[in-house]
């Protein structure tokens, strides 16, 4: 097509033309080339970044051991996760509910929330955020680990305090507000 024909096709189409610069992403959460990070005792496999999705969303495979889960927080992006395995106790705007394998949870932007694995078995969540950015925060504050289910490295009180200080300093850059300890 000539340039005027391309312009006419764009104007008459209900959706934009295909962007051949974008590539198919085919990932597996146990691929050793994947980026795995430990954050607050959990282990996250960064499956797709905003860069991978043209800035539309990110996808994170979360391994949450017993007692794990993020403290109360909020952010200005939508967060959705599906529990693939296990159970969590979710606190949303001060109300607590349980969700187990098969449940999908959508957290509206800006809403205070957090969750904890109160069970004796690990939980596995597939988390999508739109727009992306949470994955970049995790990569900035997390500690690299070897696999999707690798345990968090041991840390002492001083290291945990340094992590919390770094997370609080970086959170605003990623549109996140930490609300609890």
């Amino acid at each position: 097509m000539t340039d005027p024909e391309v312009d006419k096709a764009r104007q008459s189409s209900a959706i934009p033309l295909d962007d051949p610069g974008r590539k198919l992403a085919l990932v597996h959460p146990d691929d050793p080339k994947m980026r795995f990070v430990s954050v607050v005792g959990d282990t996250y496999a960064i499956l797709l970044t905003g860069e991978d999705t043209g800035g539309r969303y990110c996808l994170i495979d979360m391994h949450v051991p017993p007692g794990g889960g993020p403290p109360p927080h909020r952010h200005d992006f939508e967060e959705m996760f599906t529990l693939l395995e296990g159970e969590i106790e979710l606190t949303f705007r001060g109300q607590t509910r349980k969700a187990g394998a098969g449940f999908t949870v959508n957290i509206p932007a800006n809403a205070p929330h957090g969750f904890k694995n109160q069970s004796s078995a690990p939980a596995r969540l597939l988390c999508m955020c739109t727009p992306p950015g949470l994955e970049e925060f995790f990569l900035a504050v997390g500690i690299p680990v070897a696999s999707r289910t690798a345990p968090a490295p041991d840390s002492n009180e001083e290291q945990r305090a340094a992590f919390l200080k770094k997370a609080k300093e970086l959170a605003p850059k990623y549109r996140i507000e930490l609300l609890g300890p």
Side-chain angles (χ1 to χ4, degrees), residues 10 15-24 51 53-56:
R10 280 193 181 123
I15 60 173
L17 293 175
D18 179 28
D19 177 357
R22 296 203 47 214
K23 306 295 181 205
L24 174 72
E51 185 178 336
T53 66
R56 288 169 172 76

Side-chain angles (χ1 to χ4, degrees), residues 94-108:
Q95 295 186 352
T96 301
R97 296 182 177 193
K98 287 189 178 191
F103 277 84
T104 295
V105 177
N106 186 71
I107 308 292

Side-chain angles (χ1 to χ4, degrees), residues 14-176:
I15 60 173
L17 293 175
D18 179 28
D19 177 357
R22 296 203 47 214
K23 306 295 181 205
L24 174 72
L26 186 62
V27 298
H28 191 280
D30 293 318
D31 183 337
K33 291 182 265 177
M34 191 69 46
R35 291 184 287 178
F36 307 103
V37 292
S38 174
V39 179
V40 297
D42 304 342
T43 301
Y44 302 150
I46 309 302
L47 300 177
L48 296 170
T49 66
E51 185 178 336
D52 298 325
T53 66
R56 288 169 172 76
Y57 66 94
C58 68
L59 189 63
I60 305 163
D61 189 321
M62 299 178 155
H63 175 80
V64 183
H73 62 283
R74 62 188 209 106
H75 36 69
D76 78 344
F77 46 85
E78 297 285 311
E79 179 179 8
M80 182 277 300
F81 49 85
T82 298
L83 277 92
L84 303 176
E85 301 168 4
E87 180 179 276
I88 60 165
E89 189 173 279
L90 171 74
T91 302
F92 174 75
R93 294 182 180 145
Q95 295 186 352
T96 301
R97 296 182 177 193
K98 287 189 178 191
F103 277 84
T104 295
V105 177
N106 186 71
I107 308 292
N110 306 310
H113 66 284
F115 65 84
K116 207 146 205 50
N117 179 352
Q118 300 285 28
S119 75
S120 60
R124 184 177 181 197
L125 295 73
L126 194 56
C127 175
M128 182 175 78
C129 295
T130 182
L134 184 61
E135 80 285 15
E136 297 299 334
F137 176 69
F138 290 156
L139 290 168
V141 301
I143 300 165
V145 293
S147 72
R148 180 181 64 77
T149 58
D154 289 334
S155 61
N156 60 36
E157 193 62 39
E158 185 179 317
Q159 291 166 321
R160 287 189 292 276
F163 167 83
L164 186 57
K165 181 178 188 279
K166 181 179 180 180
K168 284 182 176 181
E169 287 172 356
L170 290 175
K173 176 181 176 181
Y174 297 97
R175 308 175 329 273
I176 299 168

